[in-house]
Amino acid sequence: MPTAYRNNQGKFAAWDTGPCYCDTCRALFREDSGHDIPETENWENPVWRQYNEWRYQRIARWVKRMHAAIHEVRHDAVFIAAVQLMESLDTIRPGGWDIDYWVPYQDVLTFECQRRNTAPWWPGIQAKYLASLAPDKPRWMTTSYFYPWWRLYASPEAENRPWIAQQFANGVNTWLHINGGYSDLFDRRGLAPMREVLRRLERWEHYFDGARSVARVALIFSRHTQDNYGGGKPHARYLDFVRGWYQMELLFYRYGFPDPGRVLANAVRWALAEEPTVEVAAPDFVEVTLMAQPQRMLLHLVNLPVGKPVNTGWRHIGRNLVTVNDIVVRLRLAPGTRVREARLATGETTVPVREKDGSIEVTVPRLVDHEIVILEIA
């Protein structure tokens, strides 16, 4: 069998090209649309928007064809086509990448999560989206060991730990991408900490298998709105608002103003018209995710690096994880539900459970980077 079908093989698709005006593309677009490919990018032109969508569909057909061809040669091969969400529009649009169109033709749904010119919570928003696409399919996200674009320079441990933790906290496995490891110039300082992180995740594996989100509020992202409404200014007209809602309003996302975030949170509570399922007394750089398995609730706490701006754009590396002590977690229980035991994944130590007004409270003594509060339901 050819080597290409025995070993891991990667192929980078074109992402930095403009529209293709070759005879084949011209003929195919004219056949499908009745129009010529526009010569300039103009989002006010309906034919340009039609061509933009056609480009996504053509790439999806290529992904389908590759999936079929590879499995025809080797039925047990694993085919993935990695893409990103929201960030990297300079590659996503010209490349025609839309994972929604690829779901039937991927053996493992995969997002890349390597760029670091993004908000520190970007892995979380990507993982939530990926987990919602096809809950019964395996899911990966790539994490770069190195700091793009300096591929021999390791990302600091304080940044990589929560970067990986957010993926697992939202039901997605990680794929640690190490590049240049044979070079004498390769930065080996992060290898031991990353081995420690992955070994811990291996010990926690049974807390990830089959876990599903029990979130009561959802944020909708639409690539079609990003393109057709956002047009030539997708960040200013659409994406910054999606990021803002994820991180409590645009002014908070851009500048860190706290009051607009409180107003938005109060509006969500009012619209939900019910007591919050989870309340956590912790600083705003602690990310919270609630997952569930049969007869078990899993509350993930992820400590994001401080000193790293919350908005997107080139900025300082996250270098500092500030340990948080005595985090009080309050969980509202469904009528008739009783917690048999509460413990922390780190050390598998039990913690006292306090019952109050139909809810339970647990105190997490210490959060370094990632902790799971495990609640066993009677």
Side-chain angles (χ1 to χ4, degrees):
M1 185 172 292
T3 302
Y5 293 107
R6 289 203 308 268
N7 301 326
N8 296 327
Q9 295 292 318
K11 171 68 175 73
F12 285 101
W15 60 68
D16 56 355
T17 59
C20 180
Y21 296 99
C22 73
D23 292 342
T24 299
C25 285
R26 286 179 180 273
L28 288 172
F29 183 66
R30 190 178 300 112
E31 178 183 338
D32 292 342
S33 70
H35 299 286
D36 290 327
I37 298 175
E39 294 187 2
T40 58
E41 178 179 315
N42 177 7
W43 292 95
E44 301 300 319
N45 181 357
V47 179
W48 171 262
R49 295 196 299 271
Q50 189 175 2
Y51 167 73
N52 179 67
E53 185 62 28
W54 178 84
R55 185 164 49 182
Y56 287 109
Q57 293 169 356
R58 293 297 305 183
I59 295 299
R61 290 179 62 177
W62 178 86
V63 170
K64 178 181 179 181
R65 182 178 181 181
M66 289 296 295
H67 181 268
I70 289 171
H71 282 276
E72 183 178 354
V73 174
R74 182 164 181 168
H75 72 278
D76 60 346
V78 175
F79 175 75
I80 63 171
V83 67
Q84 299 177 57
L85 185 76
M86 295 174 52
E87 308 295 343
S88 309
L89 289 194
D90 53 325
T91 61
I92 292 172
R93 274 181 171 174
W97 302 346
D98 188 337
I99 195 171
D100 291 51
Y101 289 166
W102 304 352
V103 170
Y105 320 121
Q106 289 209 71
D107 301 312
V108 179
L109 296 180
T110 305
F111 269 152
E112 283 207 3
C113 197
Q114 304 203 75
R115 284 198 175 189
R116 300 304 173 95
N117 58 322
T118 54
W121 41 261
W122 180 48
I125 197 170
Q126 282 211 140
K128 288 179 172 70
Y129 190 89
L130 195 60
S132 70
L133 281 179
D136 296 323
K137 276 198 167 186
R139 300 174 291 273
W140 288 342
M141 280 169 53
T142 58
T143 298
S144 53
Y145 169 84
F146 51 85
Y147 200 88
W149 301 106
W150 301 273
R151 290 184 173 242
L152 299 179
Y153 185 84
S155 297
E157 176 186 350
E159 182 160 299
N160 261 347
R161 281 179 173 270
W163 207 263
I164 293 172
Q166 290 177 74
Q167 300 174 35
F168 282 85
N170 291 284
V172 176
N173 206 331
T174 200
W175 171 1
L176 186 63
H177 181 192
I178 298 176
N179 187 293
Y182 293 105
S183 170
D184 291 338
L185 300 177
F186 178 70
D187 186 351
R188 291 168 170 79
R189 289 173 293 178
L191 289 176
M194 289 304 97
R195 288 192 187 101
E196 177 192 331
V197 167
L198 294 174
R199 285 169 181 156
R200 179 181 63 180
L201 292 169
E202 183 182 24
R203 293 194 301 270
W204 290 357
E205 184 176 356
H206 55 290
Y207 296 133
F208 305 130
D209 286 346
R212 304 280 180 104
S213 172
V214 293
R216 299 283 294 154
V217 177
L219 176 64
I220 295 175
F221 167 79
S222 167
R223 194 273 303 164
H224 297 274
T225 306
Q226 165 197 281
D227 285 359
N228 296 317
Y229 176 74
K233 298 180 179 179
H235 294 278
R237 298 191 66 184
Y238 182 66
L239 292 177
D240 279 356
F241 291 92
V242 174
R243 299 182 185 113
W245 277 82
Y246 187 83
Q247 190 66 20
M248 299 191 304
E249 212 271 348
L250 183 59
L251 286 177
F252 185 87
Y253 165 70
R254 279 289 186 188
Y255 307 110
F257 294 168
D259 287 342
R262 296 190 184 101
V263 171
L264 176 59
N266 289 338
V268 171
R269 292 191 185 99
W270 174 82
L272 193 58
E274 62 183 40
E275 289 294 316
T277 303
V278 177
E279 293 180 284
V280 177
D284 58 8
F285 50 81
V286 174
E287 181 89 346
V288 180
T289 303
L290 182 62
M291 307 290 280
Q293 293 172 325
Q295 297 303 111
R296 177 183 287 162
M297 304 292 287
L298 301 151
L299 185 90
H300 292 260
L301 300 172
V302 178
N303 195 7
L304 300 180
V306 298
K308 178 170 181 166
V310 299
N311 57 358
T312 294
W314 287 109
R315 74 289 177 275
H316 287 286
I317 297 170
R319 299 187 298 271
N320 302 299
L321 284 178
V322 177
T323 299
V324 183
N325 298 318
D326 299 325
I327 299 174
V328 178
V329 173
R330 185 172 184 268
L331 180 69
R332 180 169 56 86
L333 300 176
T337 301
R338 186 173 66 85
V339 173
R340 174 173 55 83
E341 180 185 75
R343 63 184 185 277
L344 306 179
T346 300
E348 291 292 335
T349 54
T350 58
V351 289
V353 178
R354 303 179 294 275
E355 297 185 12
K356 181 180 180 180
D357 300 329
S359 299
I360 61 103
E361 284 188 357
V362 170
T363 298
V364 179
R366 188 167 183 261
L367 172 66
V368 179
D369 59 329
H370 186 191
E371 184 60 273
I372 311 175
V373 180
I374 304 123
L375 301 172
E376 301 290 1
I377 306 300

